[in-house]
Amino acid sequence: MCGIIGFTGNINAKDVLLQGLKALEYRGYDSAGISYFTENGIRTIKAVGKVSGLADKVASASSDTAKCGIGHTRWATHGGVSETNCHPHRFGKVTLIHNGIIENYKELQDELAKEGKEPVSQTDSEIAAMVIDSCYKNNPVRAIKKAVKKLHGAYAFCIMFEDHPGSIYAIRNGSPLVATATKEGAIIASDMVALIKYSKDYFVLPEHHIAHLTAKSINITDLDQNEIEPDMLHVNWDMAAARKGGYEYFMLKEIHEQPESLHNTISPRIKDGLPDFSADNIPDSLFTDINRIVITACGTAMHAGLIGKNMIERFSRIPVTVDIASEFRYQNPILDSSTLVITISQSGETADTLAALRLAKENGAKTLSIVNVKGSSIARESDYVLYTHAGPEIAVASTKAYTVQLAAVYLVSFRFALAKGTLTEDETRKLAATLLEMPSFVENMLSCDKAIEPISNKLKKTKSLFFIGRGLDYALSCEGSIKLKEVSYIHSEAYAAGELKHGTISLITDNVPVIALATQENVFAKMISNIREVRSRGAKVIMVAGTGAQVDASLCDHLITLPPVNDLFAPFGAAIVLQYIAYYTATARGLNVDQPRNLAKSVTVE
Ligand code: M6R
């Protein structure tokens, strides 16, 4: 949830840290701070609010130079938003930054109190600094090894010891850390966006290993002090991808990047007109040797899973359930070696999804993950990975990561059915060919912003609204609703259109907006009846209809018609409409859509 960075090298560390924090700000943005070695010891500067505020404070505080330091952008979990609770935390000789949660911090705090040691903040992270300091007898590695035995929970730490200038030590359990050694120095951070300026090659710090960063190298040892060589990874995007490139917000930029992300995700997997996972090393036996599928994920990724269920069941006639990861993991799910558990995650680090994956593996299920971030925990721990290629997604609201997740579940459903023989080669070819058209279909859809902006202007004062749909459109309604809520703060609910009259229709009164998705011909007539039901109770209806739908003008207040497309692929178009509705409604309300309140991009805590 928080963003962390450490740098030691031969260029200005303060610049590296502040630029890195700016890039990482999407991970947490209630306060930020840096610490760096000076000739007179470690200096710490903190500020509540944005990284730009911290940068101003750093500039006015001093013109000292630094070559080694750590920085943190916070998303509060323990203790409110204040400079005291902001990282880095210092105790004794230890200064550290932390991402994660130390679950037993209260017990540890009580023990430390017996020695007369009291924290100044309300954070679990300061307690971790105190524990490490209490283990410290001039040997950083020994102190960290001893301390982590006492710390329970998820963590990624970057630690500086007062009497080891120029060195940064790091360790992680659960929370991500990636690092690279470059000619400018060694750099470590919670994710690649902070490193990309310096290198496209990096490694993921293995869990329970200690990294020692100096200006010249990074040395990694396990807890028995055996040195290891990390597996190097490479990203194929660059700095431009991690910048706004002229767009006002990352969210809008990422909406516009969807044709390219879809192309990169789909086209390498269609060989001779058929879906093909040989380059992903996913064998057909993964699909033929199972009798049920569980898809588990959180938020938007779970909504992609709802579409996946529809497609896989439709083509393979194999039962699929979709579970929210935070529910799945505590419900003693029925799993065995004939179950395939598919986890979907943009970040590959969502704590609940990772825990669900681990549970599936413990119970002998086969696992496949659909992940965007290379080398992330979920990708590394799954039996098989199907990477989506959206590039970095910076806006908290997921847009391009969602549509590439859709592309991935479509590919899985086609390959699955082909392997099982429930789709013929000819049928599969036709579907694959249509999927290949999605980048240009979405490109075409991007121009519907002109129709949506005025509708959003009308929605901006709304207190509450509803999304309704059936089948694939219901799954999309769920996504439309979360998107609108998270960036515009307008309350909304997604309802299966036929279910509305079993209670919720009581909330439909004069002028309540209802966004009705009606892109599926097989349930179109039913949707029309549902729309009439809400209209007759005063609803203002914004209808998204499929191509060729005969819509009576009196049925809705606004009509958006998708360009011609096979109904099964309509979600790719409807998703763009819903993303624009969220984006333009939020911007019409004057909100910062990239950094919505209370949210973080990657939810690495429970
Ligand atoms: O990184 P993940 O895909 O695992 O994240 C899951 C959710 O936290 C994420 O999709 C969230 O719902 C988005 N902010 C929604 O736009």
Side-chain angles (χ1 to χ4, degrees):
M1 315 278 286
C2 307
I4 69 184
I5 180 163
F7 172 79
T8 176
N10 48 39
I11 56 173
N12 185 345
K14 287 196 279 185
D15 287 350
V16 178
L17 298 178
L18 290 169
Q19 280 161 15
L21 289 182
K22 192 88 204 101
L24 290 168
E25 198 168 24
Y26 74 103
R27 298 181 69 98
Y29 32 81
D30 54 41
S31 51
I34 60 169
S35 292
Y36 51 92
F37 282 100
T38 70
E39 281 176 2
N40 308 314
I42 291 174
R43 174 160 205 200
T44 297
I45 303 173
K46 304 179 181 190
V48 167
K50 304 266 183 222
V51 174
S52 52
L54 173 69
D56 292 346
K57 208 165 166 186
V58 169
S60 58
S62 139
S63 58
D64 54 2
T65 54
K67 293 284 156 62
C68 174
I70 54 180
H72 186 275
T73 172
R74 181 170 187 245
W75 188 85
T77 56
H78 293 62
V81 178
S82 67
E83 272 193 26
T84 314
N85 288 336
C86 174
H87 300 219
H89 289 288
R90 179 185 189 139
F91 198 89
K93 292 211 157 101
V94 170
T95 300
L96 64 68
I97 48 178
H98 168 221
N99 176 23
I101 287 182
I102 304 302
E103 285 159 5
N104 61 335
Y105 82 104
K106 264 276 160 228
E107 293 89 303
L108 294 167
Q109 184 173 351
D110 292 346
E111 270 174 39
L112 290 158
K114 286 183 203 147
E115 298 165 27
K117 295 177 181 168
E118 293 293 344
V120 292
S121 74
Q122 289 87 51
T123 65
D124 54 336
S125 311
E126 188 186 358
I127 305 298
M130 294 168 78
V131 171
I132 298 171
D133 183 70
S134 71
C135 298
Y136 185 54
K137 306 270 178 299
N138 301 325
N139 184 324
V141 171
R142 245 182 255 156
I144 294 169
K145 268 175 63 177
K146 203 166 161 198
V148 293
K149 287 196 186 125
K150 301 183 183 193
L151 303 172
H152 302 159
Y155 50 79
F157 291 119
C158 288
I159 311 158
M160 299 195 304
F161 293 84
E162 182 82 35
D163 44 2
H164 284 76
S167 280
I168 297 169
Y169 294 84
I171 187 163
R172 73 180 197 97
N173 174 40
S175 309
L177 274 180
V178 293
T180 191
T182 69
K183 61 179 183 359
E184 289 89 3
I187 179 163
I188 188 160
S190 351
D191 72 55
M192 250 332 257
V193 295
L195 268 56
I196 192 74
K197 183 167 178 211
Y198 307 95
S199 174
K200 286 185 168 193
D201 298 305
Y202 69 106
F203 65 87
V204 177
L205 178 64
E207 285 187 306
H208 314 125
H209 284 63
I210 298 174
H212 177 200
L213 285 77
T214 59
K216 296 222 158 60
S217 64
I218 305 179
N219 172 264
I220 302 167
T221 50
D222 64 17
L223 293 180
D224 296 321
Q225 250 135 291
N226 301 308
E227 224 172 279
I228 68 131
E229 276 303 313
D231 295 334
M232 293 305 290
L233 298 166
H234 180 82
V235 286
N236 50 12
W237 45 270
D238 55 17
M239 267 303 278
R243 287 206 191 107
K244 279 193 221 158
Y247 287 92
E248 194 179 355
Y249 287 107
F250 277 111
M251 183 176 173
L252 190 61
K253 173 176 177 255
E254 288 161 5
I255 289 173
H256 282 259
E257 283 171 348
Q258 289 176 102
E260 190 187 345
S261 309
L262 284 165
H263 170 80
N264 294 343
T265 302
I266 299 166
S267 54
R269 271 100 181 207
I270 310 273
K271 301 250 165 68
D272 300 325
L274 290 171
D276 184 309
F277 294 150
S278 45
D280 302 287
N281 294 318
I282 301 172
D284 276 351
S285 58
L286 183 66
F287 305 130
T288 50
D289 294 356
I290 52 147
N291 55 29
R292 63 184 279 262
I293 296 181
V294 176
I295 300 179
T296 184
C298 301
T300 287
M302 192 276 289
H303 298 153
L306 294 174
I307 302 259
K309 169 186 161 74
N310 185 306
M311 298 301 285
I312 296 170
E313 287 189 339
R314 180 188 299 265
F315 295 127
S316 299
R317 309 308 299 155
I318 190 160
V320 183
T321 50
V322 182
D323 275 319
I324 296 167
S326 55
E327 288 292 306
F328 174 81
R329 57 184 292 201
Y330 295 114
Q331 283 181 25
N332 193 12
I334 303 164
L335 296 164
D336 58 24
S337 59
S338 312
T339 313
L340 170 63
V341 173
I342 303 181
T343 47
I344 307 179
S345 175
Q346 187 285 129
S347 61
E349 301 293 349
T350 300
D352 284 314
T353 311
L354 180 59
L357 166 68
R358 288 178 178 161
L359 181 69
K361 290 187 80 177
E362 274 160 35
N363 285 278
K366 298 179 173 67
T367 57
L368 166 70
S369 63
I370 295 173
V371 174
N372 195 46
V373 176
K374 244 190 192 173
S376 54
S377 303
I378 292 173
R380 279 179 297 110
E381 293 193 27
S382 301
D383 298 330
Y384 300 98
V385 193
L386 192 63
Y387 279 114
T388 52
H389 297 300
E393 190 180 64
I394 309 290
V396 167
S398 193
T399 53
K400 61 177 180 171
Y402 172 69
T403 45
V404 293
Q405 285 163 353
L406 294 189
V409 294
Y410 276 56
L411 283 165
V412 167
S413 74
F414 302 161
R415 184 73 215 178
F416 206 126
L418 183 66
K420 272 196 78 202
T422 46
L423 274 180
T424 64
E425 220 179 271
D426 255 13
E427 288 166 333
T428 314
R429 267 182 213 289
K430 281 190 190 122
L431 289 164
T434 312
L435 191 62
L436 276 171
E437 287 166 12
M438 286 307 103
S440 55
F441 174 65
V442 166
E443 181 80 61
N444 193 5
M445 278 304 302
L446 290 174
S447 57
C448 75
D449 54 348
K450 288 162 209 71
I452 290 172
E453 215 176 332
I455 301 175
S456 284
N457 264 321
K458 290 192 179 154
L459 290 177
K460 72 179 180 199
K461 296 230 166 80
T462 296
K463 293 227 158 20
S464 181
L465 62 77
F466 294 85
F467 288 83
I468 59 171
R470 288 170 176 256
L472 289 171
D473 282 336
Y474 169 55
L476 271 157
S477 297
C478 297
E479 178 53 16
S481 176
I482 195 178
K483 207 91 310 164
L484 184 78
K485 274 184 278 209
E486 69 179 328
V487 296
S488 76
Y489 314 150
I490 293 174
H491 168 259
S492 78
E493 268 188 68
Y495 248 79
E499 181 66 9
L500 201 65
K501 54 182 149 319
H502 297 286
T504 306
I505 202 163
S506 63
L507 298 176
I508 307 288
T509 52
D510 267 352
N511 297 321
V512 170
V514 172
I515 299 175
L517 302 182
T519 69
Q520 303 296 301
E521 215 256 314
N522 66 326
V523 286
F524 188 74
K526 307 283 170 205
M527 273 306 296
I528 297 295
S529 307
N530 296 138
I531 292 172
R532 287 194 201 290
E533 284 157 13
V534 293
R535 269 226 116 193
S536 60
R537 282 152 185 92
K540 288 263 179 249
V541 174
I542 298 143
M543 183 174 174
V544 183
T547 327
Q550 297 301 311
V551 182
D552 169 354
S554 66
L555 193 65
C556 59
D557 298 273
H558 302 278
L559 175 67
I560 298 154
T561 308
L562 299 185
V565 71
N566 174 331
D567 279 6
L568 294 186
F569 294 80
F572 289 93
I576 308 300
V577 174
L578 299 177
Q579 293 167 359
Y580 274 148
I581 289 179
Y583 177 82
Y584 284 112
T585 308
T587 49
R589 284 161 71 87
L591 298 167
N592 176 344
V593 289
D594 283 344
Q595 296 179 342
R597 71 179 175 217
N598 300 342
L599 292 173
K601 180 68 182 160
S602 173
V603 184
T604 51
V605 295
E606 268 194 66

